[in-house]
Amino acid sequence: MGNVGDGGLYGREPEVSDSLKTFGAVLKVLRDEAGLTQEQLAEQVGYSQHYIAGMEQGRRFPPKQLAGLSERVLGEFAARMLDAARKSLTRKVGLSSKFQHWAAIEEDALTLYAYECRTVPGLLQPESYIRAILDTGLPPLTEEQIERQVAGRLDRQIVLDDRPNTYFGFVLEQSLLERRMGGAEVTRTLLDRLLALGRRRNIEILVMPLRKENHAGPDGPLYLAETSEHRWLGYSEGQLSSNLISRPSDVGMLQQRYSRLSSQALDREASGELLERIRGDL
């Protein structure tokens, strides 16, 4: 989310850029001209008030559907302004152009899959875990940078609430939970969040046990998304590289690997029991 860093795909968040702030200012002016509060606009276009606030503050990249959704609320001219403003947006260094595209895909996806062996994906991270990761990052971050990235990552997690019809599937290595990043209390908070999210109908969290002789993930993390047009895309990254994957044969390979990984992991019930057991041992 080209180095996403710190939390895998759902890791490093965009810094506030001038173009994002400009888009937010335009949105706010148009909303004010229509005599709407953030809450009223959010209800009309089908997004949360927090999402609208994030866009107006320049912290949230607007979805491509926003202009079309806002036309009946703000008018045709306003919709055209928003569409033009969105097309001119840029993000600061820290997110590659490939990940900017992926971030937009992720927000509108019908299905999202992730396999991680480095850190728990950012969508699943509680604030204390986010801070533990950022505190250990190199080169060290300033307090201002940490606060900005914490706020951005928490804001991004709204997708779990805003898209109840999107299916989210995660396969996590048990070692990520046994590592106790940030200490026992942080790990307890993390496990509580994983257990709570795992109870939702549209979120599946599977744990890959520590010992697995037949393992389909030696090449590292992988991410998959099904777009609203029912096209599948993939994303992968290393420490200083990232790849948005669209070639059908390559995406198919990632789908095969994720399918095998999910079948090799503990099932949903057993994964929940393991999470409970790990928490009890803290």
Side-chain angles (χ1 to χ4, degrees), residues 11 22 36 38 47 104 138 152 157 164 176 181 201-202 232 241 258 265:
T22 299
L36 299 173
Q38 288 181 348
Y47 291 98
L138 293 173
Q157 293 174 1
L176 301 180
M181 172 72 75
R201 288 189 298 274
N202 66 320
W232 282 91
S241 64
Y258 184 85

Side-chain angles (χ1 to χ4, degrees), residues 53-280:
M55 285 190 286
E56 290 190 358
Q57 294 162 10
R59 295 186 296 103
R60 188 84 180 187
F61 200 84
K64 61 184 179 181
Q65 296 97 332
L66 181 64
L69 292 171
S70 64
E71 183 172 352
R72 62 182 176 81
V73 184
L74 303 177
E76 181 183 356
F77 179 70
R80 288 170 58 192
M81 286 186 64
L82 289 175
D83 186 50
R86 187 187 184 281
K87 289 176 180 177
S88 68
L89 284 175
T90 59
R91 297 192 188 204
K92 279 197 168 186
V93 174
L95 287 180
S96 70
S97 59
K98 292 179 181 178
F99 187 71
Q100 291 174 30
H101 190 188
W102 180 261
I105 292 167
E106 176 190 87
E107 290 182 348
D108 300 321
L110 301 176
T111 308
L112 281 169
Y113 292 134
Y115 161 69
E116 261 298 352
C117 56
R118 302 168 303 181
T119 58
V120 173
L123 280 183
L124 305 179
Q125 296 173 5
E127 181 174 346
S128 57
Y129 185 88
I130 297 171
R131 292 185 180 278
I133 291 174
L134 296 176
D135 282 342
T136 60
L138 293 173
L141 300 173
T142 66
E143 290 300 318
E144 181 181 357
Q145 288 173 320
I146 288 175
E147 292 305 317
R148 186 162 58 239
Q149 291 196 29
V150 169
R153 199 171 304 182
L154 292 175
D155 180 70
R156 191 169 182 181
Q157 293 174 1
I158 296 170
V159 69
L160 295 176
D161 299 316
D162 280 356
R163 299 194 62 83
N165 297 120
T166 292
Y167 182 82
F168 299 89
F170 301 93
V171 177
L172 311 179
E173 291 288 342
Q174 182 180 343
S175 58
L176 301 180
L177 312 173
E178 300 283 5
R179 184 173 299 152
R180 301 190 182 185
M181 172 72 75
E185 187 58 38
V186 170
T187 303
R188 270 192 288 270
T189 304
L190 170 65
L191 291 167
D192 286 342
R193 176 166 171 78
L194 295 179
L195 286 164
L197 290 174
R199 296 186 188 103
R200 298 189 187 183
R201 288 189 298 274
N202 66 320
I203 300 177
E204 181 178 65
I205 299 175
L206 306 180
V207 180
M208 182 71 73
L210 282 175
R211 292 177 177 82
K212 194 69 180 179
E213 294 182 2
N214 182 18
H215 191 296
D219 287 340
L222 66 87
Y223 297 86
L224 288 160
E226 180 189 10
T227 71
S228 57
E229 294 81 25
H230 302 288
R231 181 187 181 195
W232 282 91
L233 299 168
Y235 187 86
S236 67
E237 65 170 16
Q239 291 208 13
L240 295 174
S241 64
S242 62
N243 290 287
L244 180 64
I245 301 164
S246 58
R247 184 185 301 167
S249 59
D250 293 339
V251 174
M253 176 188 67
L254 294 183
Q255 289 176 309
Q256 289 179 27
R257 291 181 179 180
Y258 184 85
S259 178
R260 180 63 60 85
L261 285 163
S262 63
S263 70
Q264 292 171 336
L266 300 174
D267 64 25
R268 190 168 189 157
E269 182 178 356
S271 294
E273 292 173 353
L274 178 58
L275 294 176
E276 294 276 12
R277 187 160 64 251
I278 294 173
R279 193 191 188 287

Side-chain angles (χ1 to χ4, degrees), residues 37-49 52 72-73:
T37 64
Q38 288 181 348
E39 184 177 7
Q40 289 170 332
L41 177 61
E43 183 177 353
Q44 293 280 353
V45 298
Y47 291 98
S48 70
Q49 180 182 353
I52 298 296
R72 62 182 176 81
V73 184

